[in-house]
DNA sequence: TTGTAAGCGTTATCAT
DNA sequence: ATGATAACGCTTACAA
């Protein structure tokens, strides 16, 4: 009935002829603490006079905001959308709301951001694709914020994390290309500043060591996990090692950049060059040619991350842990047998 | 120096030998209210003893949370990622943090969600792709929450909004197809429950009225703005009107669904059928064939929406307004001249 | 089961 | 320019 009001618990108490504390208990339905009939009466009156709880006041008092901060590098990246989606959904089911912020470029800004979030008393942080060396994460640790890393490991084991099994990813890719008959396979790695970049690169080195001379398995580092960095890296690689017959890109965006360059040079995929991505982002099944890639179990990742996060909230001294998720290989049309050239 | 602390303004005041109120003023840098030297001293001490402001307490006191709620149907939709990205960035520049929530299916849940957000005293709502008839928006109005609709209009003019000029979009598409020589053009419309769906559909009807018999410009409604709804609608359309030579889909996802069906039937694009989407989502330039579409100015949209939102926050009685953004046509390879059949 | 009273940390108003 | 005081709305010991 009432419009946007300032009806407080005290008003309800007055109207119901009870003490504010009783209203508080009744409204929160604290079991066995208030008689059923009184509770019903209080609830009725609360609605009648248009009471609306003030969660900020409650947060202030209880020091519980039930707010999770999700820190994501770039919401326009099609990989992160689904992850944030899964996180937000899982958290909300547990009555947590999600404060979503995008990682600033500047390390000091990142650090300040964490302090701003801590100042808002967020319950904790879910950080996508950040390195544990990040100033941001240092700040989180200093402030004692429960933190879970998503899609990046914590080499120093300072943070709990949920990651893809990159060794398995590489194993799947290399086995596939080998089975097709490829003997010279390049890897366009992610930036070595990134644990994911390093992990896939090292796994690639390990896997290919036994297979032949290093020159047949060149590695070219991309400056970032982006389409344009993929283009740049592809140009360098093709100049350095024009004879490779297959390229494994550290992620799908890099693969798209590689594809741009192959196209502009008239190198056909997969006839002249096989190409494999990583992540199975939305829509890569529709590009030309449909991209062979490795699917990261995104749903599991967000679910597990949310769950791990909640466990950390529930138990401040929960030991750091890493959950490793199994990827699956997705064969499409960007890979094929190598042709003699 | 200190670990996660509970140092309050009062502690700083004690350490500095001043009154808490003075510390508060000094720390917020209230101009001309505290002597420069005292301020410097207080700031020094605050840092020294590890004071960290408690924003929840401040919010509680001032009733200003500086929190914007962004309500989005589906974060995994590649169109919304960039919009949310733009909103979050623009808002943060103005010192607002973004609470991102995904729209529940159930109308009552949506309503409850708004009440939950209001209970957290969010400054206002930015709502993506919701109809003004939505229970959610009714609730927002009841609660007096400043609200801006993004990418949907408010037919009843109850809410401010930022939208694409759908008439212009349709004009661009129809003109393009006509210029290519198409005489039988189908429109797969968005759900008629959506203002965008209706707007594009009506514009299509208006545009084509003069061009020929209605039978040559059939409209098939998709149940949702999704790939699978596009598939279903395409199947019905092809059965109803197998002779159309071009299809204009109400958005890119629907177009992708149409493409799936055309492929499975061996209908070539654009040789046998021209296809146009809408929105120019990320990656649609890479599908096979690259999709001709209409680009919605996403950056402008989020900027304008954020700005309009801030204006509403600043002035509670700001009149409702609509900002209409001009789309641009993006010609790629999914459209061509019709071939005789 | 219910009432009492204190207090969370900050800021705004008023007085000095 | 600074200090004193009260108040924001709620929850939680503790007492009854």
């Amino acid at each position: 009935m009432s419009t946007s009001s300032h009806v407080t618990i005290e008003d309800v108490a007055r109207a119901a002829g009870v003490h504010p504390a009783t209203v508080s208990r009744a409204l929160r339905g604290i079991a066995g603490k208030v008689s059923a009939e009184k509770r019903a009466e209080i609830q009725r009156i609360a609605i009648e006079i248009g009471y609306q709880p003030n969660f900020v006041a409650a947060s202030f008092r209880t020091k519980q905001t039930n707010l999770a901060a999700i820190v994501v590098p770039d919401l326009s990246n099609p990989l992160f959308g689904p992850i944030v989606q899964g996180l937000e959904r899982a958290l909300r089911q547990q009555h947590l709301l999600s404060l979503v912020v995008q990682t600033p470029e500047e390390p000091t800004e990142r650090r300040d951001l964490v302090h701003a979030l801590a100042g808002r008393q967020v319950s904790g942080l879910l950080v996508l694709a950040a390195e544990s060396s990040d100033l941001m994460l240092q700040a989180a640790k200093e402030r004692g914020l429960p933190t879970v890393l998503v899609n990046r490991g914590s080499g120093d084991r300072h943070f709990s994390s949920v990651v893809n099994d990159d060794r398995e990813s590489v194993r799947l890719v290399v086995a596939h290309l080998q089975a097709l008959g490829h003997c010279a396979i390049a890897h366009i790695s992610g930036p070595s500043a990134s644990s994911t970049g390093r992990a896939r690169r090292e796994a690639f080195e390990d896997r290919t060591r036994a297979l032949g001379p290093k020159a047949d398995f060149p590695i070219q580092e991309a400056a970032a996990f982006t389409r344009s960095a993929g283009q740049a890296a592809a140009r360098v690689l093709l100049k350095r090692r024009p004879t490779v017959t297959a390229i494994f890109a550290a992620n799908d965006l890099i693969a798209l950049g590689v594809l741009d360059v192959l196209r502009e040079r008239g190198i056909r995929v997969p006839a002249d060059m096989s190409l494999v991505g990583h992540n199975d982002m939305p829509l890569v099944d529709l590009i030309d040619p449909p991209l062979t890639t490795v699917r990261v179990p995104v749903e599991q990742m967000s679910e597990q991350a949310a769950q791990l996060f909640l466990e950390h909230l529930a138990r401040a001294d929960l030991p750091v842990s890493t959950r490793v998720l199994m990827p699956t290989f997705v064969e499409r049309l960007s890979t094929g047998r190598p042709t003699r050239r």
Side-chain angles (χ1 to χ4, degrees), chain A residues 99 104 119 151 159 179 192 197 246 296 329:
Chain A
L99 215 40
N151 206 31
F159 298 95
S192 56
V296 173
F329 191 73

Side-chain angles (χ1 to χ4, degrees), chain A residues 82-121:
Chain A
I83 295 183
V84 175
Q85 169 185 50
L87 290 176
E88 196 273 336
R89 183 186 310 175
L91 293 170
R92 185 127 54 89
Q93 262 166 8
Q94 307 300 321
H95 310 290
L96 292 193
L97 253 28
S98 299
L99 215 40
V100 175
V101 296
Q102 293 179 99
T103 325
E105 295 286 334
E106 276 295 315
T108 58
E109 275 184 61
R110 288 211 286 275
R111 183 201 53 203
D112 295 346
L113 175 61
V114 168
H115 287 301
L117 292 169
R120 282 174 183 263
Q121 318 291 111

Side-chain angles (χ1 to χ4, degrees), chain A residues 29-339:
Chain A
I30 294 196
K33 290 289 189 176
V34 61
S35 70
E37 57 176 59
K38 195 158 268 186
R39 164 163 38 205
E41 171 71 354
I42 289 173
Q43 281 169 337
R44 194 184 59 68
I45 292 179
I47 291 171
E48 187 180 310
I49 69 174
Y51 170 73
Q52 303 286 168
N54 180 336
F55 198 83
V56 171
S59 287
F60 173 48
R61 173 63 230 236
T62 61
K63 319 233 142 291
Q64 299 251 314
T65 56
N66 282 0
L67 260 190
I70 299 178
V71 184
V72 53
D74 173 14
L75 277 170
S76 70
N77 181 325
L79 174 65
F80 296 135
I83 295 183
V84 175
Q85 169 185 50
L87 290 176
E88 196 273 336
R89 183 186 310 175
L91 293 170
R92 185 127 54 89
Q93 262 166 8
Q94 307 300 321
H95 310 290
L96 292 193
L97 253 28
S98 299
L99 215 40
V100 175
V101 296
Q102 293 179 99
T103 325
E105 295 286 334
E106 276 295 315
T108 58
E109 275 184 61
R110 288 211 286 275
R111 183 201 53 203
D112 295 346
L113 175 61
V114 168
H115 287 301
L117 292 169
R120 282 174 183 263
Q121 318 291 111
V122 299
S123 306
L125 259 43
L126 285 146
V127 183
L128 273 64
E131 300 307 314
S132 58
S133 60
D134 199 309
L135 221 48
M136 184 164 75
L137 292 173
Q138 308 292 335
K141 181 158 285 306
E142 276 173 28
R143 290 288 224 126
L145 282 175
T147 302
V148 171
L149 269 37
V150 187
N151 206 31
R152 281 293 186 284
S154 170
D156 48 17
R157 317 228 100 226
H158 280 348
F159 298 95
S160 277
S161 64
V162 180
V163 293
N164 176 63
D165 187 336
D166 287 324
R167 301 197 74 79
E168 174 67 4
S169 289
V170 170
R171 193 188 68 71
L172 291 166
V173 171
V174 173
H176 169 76
L177 292 173
Q178 238 192 309
L180 286 172
H182 291 275
C183 302
I185 303 171
H187 175 45
I188 298 197
S189 73
S192 56
S194 125
S195 69
T196 301
R198 285 195 308 277
R200 288 179 197 160
R201 177 200 185 117
E202 284 162 20
F204 182 80
E205 286 170 341
D206 291 352
R207 268 282 141 194
T208 55
R209 191 153 327 177
L211 263 41
K214 231 178 167 174
D216 287 345
F217 300 96
I219 294 177
Q220 178 64 42
E221 181 173 328
F225 282 112
T226 61
R227 186 166 166 184
S228 61
Q231 292 171 354
R235 292 205 175 88
V236 178
L237 173 73
L238 290 178
K239 174 170 277 181
R240 269 180 60 210
R241 292 281 187 277
T243 58
V244 297
T245 59
I247 297 176
F248 167 38
N251 81 345
D252 292 333
L253 285 172
I254 291 177
L256 296 184
V258 174
L259 194 57
D260 291 330
V261 172
L262 295 176
R263 268 193 198 164
E264 88 191 13
R265 310 216 168 163
I267 302 174
R268 292 163 307 166
V269 177
D272 306 325
M273 183 76 80
S274 283
L275 179 62
V276 184
H278 195 285
N279 288 352
D280 195 29
M281 269 183 358
L283 307 192
V284 292
D285 59 323
L286 280 174
I287 66 173
D288 174 28
L291 189 69
T292 295
T293 188
V294 178
R295 177 175 303 147
V296 173
V298 168
E299 284 192 27
Q300 272 184 56
M301 186 172 280
S302 26
E303 249 170 55
Q304 296 279 316
Q307 194 197 314
L308 191 51
F309 179 74
L310 291 164
E311 287 172 20
H312 276 284
L313 294 195
R315 216 154 92 52
D317 63 338
L318 191 78
V320 163
S321 70
T322 300
R323 301 198 184 173
V324 180
L325 270 23
M326 278 299 143
T328 52
F329 191 73
V330 182
E331 181 172 357
R332 297 209 183 91
L333 303 180
S334 67
T335 49
R337 305 200 152 273
T339 52

